[in-house]
Amino acid sequence: MTDELKNAYDVVVIGGGAAGLSGALMLSRARRSVVVIDAGSPRNAPASGVHGLLARDGIPPAELVERGRAEVRGYGGQVVTGEVGAVARGDTGFQVTLTDGRNVRALRLLLATGLVDELPDVPGLRSRWGRDVVHCPYCRGWEIRDQAIGVLGSGPLSVHQAMLFRQWSDDVTFFSHTLPVPTGEEAEQLAARGIRVVDGEVASLEIIEDRLVGVRLRDGDVVKREALAVAPRMVARTGFLAALGLRPVEHPSGAGEHIPSDATGRTDVPGLWVAGNATDLSAQVGAAAAAGATAGAHINADLIAEETRQAVAAARAQGEVAFSAEVESRVCEAVLGDRRHGL
């Protein structure tokens, strides 16, 4: 990997996960000058493998990233280690400033910074994150199938999360924790599916020989569990975009914040696209990569449209110059002809 930035690129991609690298691959194959600026802190770093990704199921996250970087470089793209500190509008695009002081210009930007999982403050939880404390049933459900699974009440989607994990195990316990105990239709659904509800705040996780063995409540009771599902609050990494007037907004699900965009990843800021978890909180790796590819294709199409407008304007201007020159030439010939005939 080289940290030598050029002065300017067609596209700067901020974030080097599945979405960013996929977008960069599409753009590099379109013969665009593109650089991926990656801080090296992927959301899925604690996971042992990426699951549900066709033809690459179980591949370690770091290996997937290295493969992606190699493919981008193979088509002439760059991948640079760095963290973006600020982005500003320039005369012909954007000025991107890294936290180490380096600067680079870009005609277009692809934001693929992902998001940050804000976890509940429960002792022992963060150290088990991505291991036996999980989030997505489609990413880790198979690996914890038939185990004693707990679901921590931590957000508006927690009951829904418990219903999902019931697909992988018939031993699921819902811990209300700091949420009200489910009532009404939610309580009826949990009971119908055989999901036990435990009232009371969770104090800590019980870990023995590097394994989760239980959940300890404030009253001292320990409920044996082998895995715990948590719904974190998800927040897009976009603070450096404030100067452009682009700020994350609350996601309709209530699960966190995201950057709104259309189906192609286009944002409200002209020239800036977004792909992956920064805009789609529920996107798995495959979906994030697909979104990056879609955004890359539309960025290229947008650049082609601008280049075509410029070419047409230049051709028209050239035509006007040629026409003026031809008229002037004919006038001169006419004047000279008149003089030759004594007129």
Side-chain angles (χ1 to χ4, degrees):
M1 182 183 296
T2 174
D3 286 343
E4 294 183 7
L5 278 172
K6 300 176 184 177
N7 291 328
Y9 297 84
D10 290 333
V11 185
V12 168
V13 179
I14 306 174
L21 289 172
S22 185
L25 180 63
M26 186 68 75
L27 288 159
S28 297
R29 283 178 52 82
R31 309 187 75 176
R32 293 294 177 185
S33 61
V34 58
V35 63
V36 178
I37 299 175
D38 185 24
S41 54
R43 179 191 182 196
N44 63 356
S48 60
V50 175
H51 295 290
L53 183 62
L54 187 63
R56 284 290 182 265
D57 185 71
I59 185 173
E63 181 180 344
L64 182 66
V65 167
E66 283 305 316
R67 285 174 177 261
R69 288 173 175 173
E71 289 176 355
V72 169
R73 293 193 187 103
Y75 290 102
Q78 276 186 273
V79 182
V80 170
T81 298
E83 183 176 353
V84 173
V87 176
R89 176 71 68 179
D91 294 336
T92 58
F94 301 93
Q95 183 80 15
V96 179
T97 302
L98 277 62
T99 54
D100 60 12
R102 289 179 292 174
N103 291 278
V104 60
R105 298 191 306 275
L107 297 177
R108 300 290 186 273
L109 291 181
L110 173 55
L111 177 69
T113 51
L115 52 80
V116 174
D117 293 303
E118 295 182 347
L119 298 173
D121 186 17
V122 174
L125 190 149
R126 181 168 293 277
S127 65
R128 310 304 302 180
W129 181 241
R131 302 168 69 187
D132 36 29
V133 174
V134 301
H135 165 229
C136 171
Y138 300 103
C139 300
R140 293 298 305 279
W142 176 264
E143 284 64 41
I144 61 173
R145 66 192 184 281
D146 298 326
Q147 293 184 16
I149 300 174
V151 177
L152 185 70
S154 56
L157 297 180
S158 292
V159 171
H160 173 66
Q161 190 179 38
M163 300 297 293
L164 287 176
F165 274 97
R166 177 62 179 79
Q167 172 65 21
W168 282 266
S169 174
D170 59 7
D171 185 0
V172 177
T173 297
F174 180 78
F175 297 90
S176 63
H177 188 43
T178 56
L179 297 181
V181 175
T183 58
E185 185 177 1
E186 286 187 336
E188 183 181 25
Q189 291 173 342
L190 292 169
R193 293 291 283 160
I195 299 173
R196 177 190 175 195
V197 175
V198 173
D199 189 13
E201 186 175 352
V202 171
S204 63
L205 303 188
E206 295 291 297
I207 311 298
I208 297 178
E209 295 181 352
D210 199 33
R211 288 189 306 110
L212 173 65
V213 296
V215 174
R216 181 177 293 276
L217 303 176
R218 287 291 180 197
D219 62 11
D221 287 348
V222 175
V223 180
K224 293 182 179 180
R225 294 290 91 183
E226 298 170 281
L228 183 68
V230 178
R233 178 170 172 78
M234 297 173 278
V235 180
R237 300 169 172 170
T238 56
F240 54 84
L241 295 175
L244 299 179
L246 187 64
R247 292 179 172 82
V249 300
E250 192 70 20
H251 193 270
S253 68
E257 297 178 346
H258 74 133
I259 297 293
S261 68
D262 67 12
T264 72
R266 189 191 299 265
T267 71
D268 290 337
V269 175
L272 193 155
W273 273 254
V274 61
N277 287 141
T279 185
D280 183 355
L281 301 186
S282 64
Q284 292 178 261
V285 171
T294 297
H298 282 270
I299 290 171
N300 182 57
D302 188 59
L303 285 167
I304 288 173
E306 179 175 318
E307 291 160 353
T308 301
R309 288 192 296 270
Q310 294 172 347
V312 168
R316 287 176 177 173
Q318 185 64 32
E320 291 174 1
V321 170
F323 178 75
S324 298
E326 183 179 353
V327 170
E328 183 178 352
S329 176
R330 289 181 178 179
V331 169
C332 289
E333 288 178 0
V335 171
L336 291 174
D338 290 344
R339 288 177 178 174
R340 284 196 298 269
H341 290 86
L343 298 177

